[in-house]
Amino acid sequence: MDRGQLADFLRSRRERIAPADVGLPAGPRRRTPGLRREEVAQLAFISTEYYTRLEQARGPRPSREVLAGLTRALRLSDVERDHLHHLAGAPPGPPPGPSREVRPSILALLRRLPQAAAIVLSATYEVLAWNDLAAALMEDFSALPRRDRNLVRRAFLGPRPEGGRLYGVSDADEFSASAVRNLRATAGRYPDDPEVTGLIRELLDGSEEFARLWAAHDVCAEPTLCKTFRHPVVGPISVNCDVLAISDRDQQVVIYTADPGTPSENALRLLSVVGTQRMDVPR
């Protein structure tokens, strides 16, 4: 265990996180850059005294549970998580939960698909990244808090404006069943991740449909090749649905494209101009 390097690394990661990044107020008397030590300790579910000792290079070797808590609290990337483990003298094992870090090359890919709507999903169906056309077709995800960007939560717990389910897609029931099967497989890969177990518990408590599908213990899902979105501005849009797996991050890139020369292609072109504006809402 390299106590000095561990202390410096923890301090550098703490100072780069703005309070707003973790839902905390900045406050008028905040003198330290980033988070305070007691805030990191609270987010990691450890005592402030223990965390302070780690930053002062006086602490004992942290357990894997403590390292997992620090990884979440400090929002470490996979590479940073592994580095933290090596500094603490505990070689990293499998990631404790699904990765939320999207590679820059994937983000660039989304921007280079102006005629296709594309999103990146985590293993728990959280929308991690999207391009402008996806926001116009589905929803302006940038305007939502993180928990509301989860498509499984939305499918089973709403909201459902004007009776529509999951942006009015034609295969909402099929998507929901497929998502449950994939989520059960995810739970098997990350049995100790609190976000995975918390999401499943919330869905079991809030949706009888989810509870029924979950009880079937199915883990195999058929791919969806096409679907139709009922958009409130431009009407129905039929798209091909292609999924590219990012195996090292346990993520998926979902790309929606319309067949050339169809009304749906014209509708997508119109959406690329309209963006997230709602022309059906009186001003």
Side-chain angles (χ1 to χ4, degrees):
M1 175 179 174
D2 191 331
R3 286 180 171 82
Q5 289 296 317
L6 176 62
D8 290 344
F9 182 67
L10 290 174
R11 187 180 307 109
S12 70
R13 299 306 90 177
R14 170 173 63 84
E15 292 178 348
R16 72 175 182 175
I17 301 176
D21 293 338
V22 292
L24 295 174
R29 298 184 179 180
R30 184 178 290 271
R31 298 178 180 177
T32 181
L35 299 178
R36 298 188 178 102
R37 287 172 174 171
E38 59 266 27
E39 292 169 339
V40 173
Q42 181 180 6
L43 292 170
F45 300 104
I46 60 178
S47 72
T48 301
E49 179 184 0
Y50 180 37
Y51 179 76
T52 300
R53 288 171 61 86
L54 289 175
E55 272 206 13
Q56 294 176 343
R58 298 187 300 112
R61 175 178 293 177
S63 66
R64 290 187 178 275
E65 290 76 13
V66 169
L67 293 173
L70 292 172
T71 296
R72 291 192 301 270
L74 297 172
R75 309 181 77 173
L76 301 184
S77 68
D78 291 344
V79 174
E80 290 170 328
R81 165 189 168 268
D82 290 352
H83 183 60
L84 173 68
H85 274 258
H86 286 299
L87 291 178
S99 174
R100 299 187 63 256
E101 182 185 16
V102 181
R103 283 204 300 265
S105 59
I106 298 299
L107 297 176
L109 172 64
L110 266 58
R111 293 192 296 269
R112 293 170 182 167
L113 296 173
Q115 299 181 26
I119 59 176
V120 178
L121 294 177
S122 73
T124 58
Y125 283 84
E126 179 185 347
V127 179
L128 302 175
W130 57 91
N131 62 6
D132 291 341
L133 190 51
L137 176 64
M138 302 171 72
E139 188 165 12
D140 183 5
F141 296 106
S142 66
L144 301 177
R146 178 189 159 194
R147 76 178 308 278
D148 292 341
R149 296 175 189 168
N150 189 287
L151 297 188
V152 177
R153 181 181 283 115
R154 186 181 184 97
F156 288 100
L157 303 180
R160 300 186 182 184
E162 301 176 359
R165 182 179 188 185
L166 202 64
Y167 312 111
V169 293
S170 57
D171 68 331
D173 291 341
E174 292 82 356
F175 169 85
S176 299
S178 174
V180 173
R181 292 192 286 267
N182 284 328
L183 189 59
R184 179 170 282 285
T186 297
R189 294 194 298 275
Y190 308 102
D192 300 322
D193 181 60
E195 289 199 15
V196 173
T197 56
L199 174 63
I200 293 170
R201 185 166 53 251
E202 178 185 357
L203 293 168
L204 287 171
D205 292 341
S207 171
E208 293 182 1
E209 179 188 8
F210 180 88
R212 175 178 55 80
L213 293 169
W214 186 259
H217 287 265
D218 293 331
V219 293
C220 180
E222 294 295 328
T224 299
L225 301 180
C226 60
K227 65 176 65 185
T228 299
F229 287 85
R230 291 188 292 275
H231 195 274
V233 175
V234 300
I237 305 176
S238 296
V239 293
N240 302 307
C241 181
D242 294 292
V243 179
L244 308 178
I246 310 175
S247 57
D248 64 312
R249 300 293 173 90
D250 206 357
Q251 297 168 356
Q252 294 180 332
V253 181
V254 184
I255 303 174
Y256 302 114
T257 57
D259 289 332
T262 62
S264 292
E265 183 189 35
N266 294 333
L268 279 182
R269 290 183 182 275
L270 177 58
L271 275 184
S272 68
V273 176
V274 174
T276 56
Q277 300 179 61
R278 286 292 302 272
M279 296 185 298
D280 60 329
V281 177
R283 294 183 179 272

